[in-house]
Structures are given as C-alpha cells and as structure tokens.
Amino acid sequence: MLKCEVIEPKGTADAAVIWLHGLGASGHDFVPVVPHLGLPDNHGVRFVFPHAPEIPVTINGGMVMPAWYDILAMSIEREIDIVQIESSSAAVGELIQRELDAGIASERIVLAGFSQGGAVVYHAALSYPKTLAGLLTMSTYFATAKEVKLAEANKALPIHIFHGSQDPMVPETMGHTANQILQSMGFKPNYRSYPMQHEVCGEEIADIGNSLKEWLQLA
C-alpha cells in the first residue's frame, strides 16, 4: 500500500478524492489546495494524496526520485515504462479498495492527477471495474491509450481535462490529443485551458472544486 497524506473532513467521510502528484514531487504538494476548492464546510470528502515510490528516471540521468513510472525519452509520444505505469495504476486500485472497505461507495470516489500522476489515473480510472464518480487530469497526457482495457462500468465516466496553454514540460497539444482520443473512445470529456505553464492556477483550482461539487453533489 502506498504511503499517503490524508486530509479528513470535519464530519464523517462519505466521499473520497485520490489525487496523484507529478514527477519528483510528493503527496504533500496538493495538500494546501484543499482549503481553496470552495467546498462547503460539511463536504464529507476525504482527500488522499499518495507518495510515489523513488525510482531511477532515465531522462534525468538515472537519478532516483519520486516517480510513478520511468520516462525513457521526452519525445512528443513519450517513451515510458508501461509495466511501471500499470503497477502504479494497480496501486491506485488498492487505495480505492481501502476506501470501499471504509464504507465509501465507488460512485463517490474521484481520481485526480497532475502530470505523471494524471497519466496514471487515466489508466486506473478507465480500467477500473466499478463505477467511479469522475476523473480529473491536469497538465498531463494519455500515456496508455493503446494499452488500456476499458471497463464497462466506467464507459460513461465524467472526465475533466485541465491544461496550461504555455506548458513547456507537457505541451498543450498532448492535452488536446488525450481529449481527441477519449472522444474517439466514446467519452465526452470537458476540456479547459489556462494561460499558465506546468503548474496550477487559482481559476483551475476553482474549476476543480466545481467539478467535485457537481459529481459528489455537494451543496
């Protein structure tokens, strides 16, 4: 089981957001965002921020750092270690199961991910065998579009894609490509772009909060 930072709601949790960070970061990164999502005080959402394992990353000279999978080359297609991304996806599945065991219905679990974390949650959410509440992907790409086996339970999964128009790390074209691939698969993703680089901004954080309020029916 991945080690996680967990933010509990004030009352009893009846929903969960599992949110993955990017390359070289940690589960601490998005913890400060939670109070700025604009959720009601009694929202009942448990936020789970897992820490990626530390592995050698080829594009960074083999340096060991937190990563969900190895990136072998920074081509526009991205050469990645598919086995590792599938392993990270399975680890997300274990976190979902922990929420199910704690009494949270799968229909009230949202997966979210930034950059590398986004690539993992694309795979985890679309292949998960029980219906989820939604999928949020930020500044990322659909790395396993050719490998993922779509689960029947999530073929109508709500998906919101957020990307920076000035992103030098993951060019916005990769976000648009993910959007197009999802549409070809029968999904109806909502795509939003912001005038920012490889980061998050206030407007995006507000939109994430609005997504959660919509999917989890938070008044």
Side-chain angles (χ1 to χ4, degrees):
M1 185 76 69
L2 295 167
K3 293 182 178 179
C4 305
E5 298 300 313
V6 179
I7 308 299
E8 296 285 356
K10 291 179 181 178
T12 303
D14 65 2
V17 176
I18 300 172
W19 192 330
L20 275 61
H21 62 75
L23 176 65
S26 79
H28 298 287
D29 275 39
F30 288 103
V31 170
V33 169
V34 175
H36 301 285
L37 292 171
L39 304 184
D41 287 342
N42 61 342
H43 59 68
V45 181
R46 175 183 293 122
F47 285 87
V48 180
F49 300 99
H51 300 283
E54 297 206 357
I55 62 172
V57 176
T58 301
I59 59 164
N60 288 340
M63 185 182 299
V64 175
M65 62 181 61
W68 298 109
Y69 53 88
D70 189 19
I71 300 176
L72 307 174
M74 288 288 283
S75 62
I76 196 66
E77 288 283 326
R78 287 291 195 281
E79 293 179 38
I80 66 166
D81 189 313
I82 296 294
V83 172
Q84 287 177 341
I85 201 170
E86 290 174 343
S87 175
S88 290
S89 174
V92 171
E94 292 178 356
L95 295 178
I96 295 173
Q97 185 60 49
R98 185 167 69 178
E99 296 306 314
L100 297 178
D101 293 344
I104 307 296
S106 68
E107 293 89 351
R108 292 190 59 73
I109 297 175
V110 172
L111 297 189
F114 177 85
S115 197
Q116 257 208 352
V120 172
V121 294
Y122 266 133
H123 193 89
L126 299 182
S127 62
Y128 194 70
K130 296 180 181 178
T131 305
L132 298 170
L135 172 62
L136 294 167
T137 66
M138 295 155 266
S139 304
T140 190
Y141 54 101
F142 194 174
T144 57
K146 295 176 183 176
E147 290 82 15
V148 68
K149 294 180 181 178
L150 301 179
E152 191 66 36
N154 283 300
K155 285 196 171 177
L157 182 69
I159 304 171
H160 288 183
I161 303 171
F162 303 131
H163 215 109
S165 60
Q166 301 157 19
D167 192 332
M169 298 292 295
V170 181
E172 193 182 8
T173 53
M174 298 177 80
H176 285 307
T177 297
N179 187 27
Q180 292 162 4
I181 291 171
L182 289 165
Q183 289 178 14
S184 73
M185 290 175 164
F187 295 98
K188 298 178 180 179
N190 182 298
Y191 188 96
R192 288 215 60 181
S193 179
Y194 309 86
M196 63 179 185
Q197 298 190 19
H198 196 61
E199 58 193 329
V200 294
C201 64
E203 186 182 358
E204 179 185 18
I205 291 169
D207 286 338
I208 291 168
N210 288 334
S211 299
L212 297 180
K213 284 186 277 190
E214 175 189 345
W215 296 341
L216 300 175
Q217 299 176 334
L218 304 175

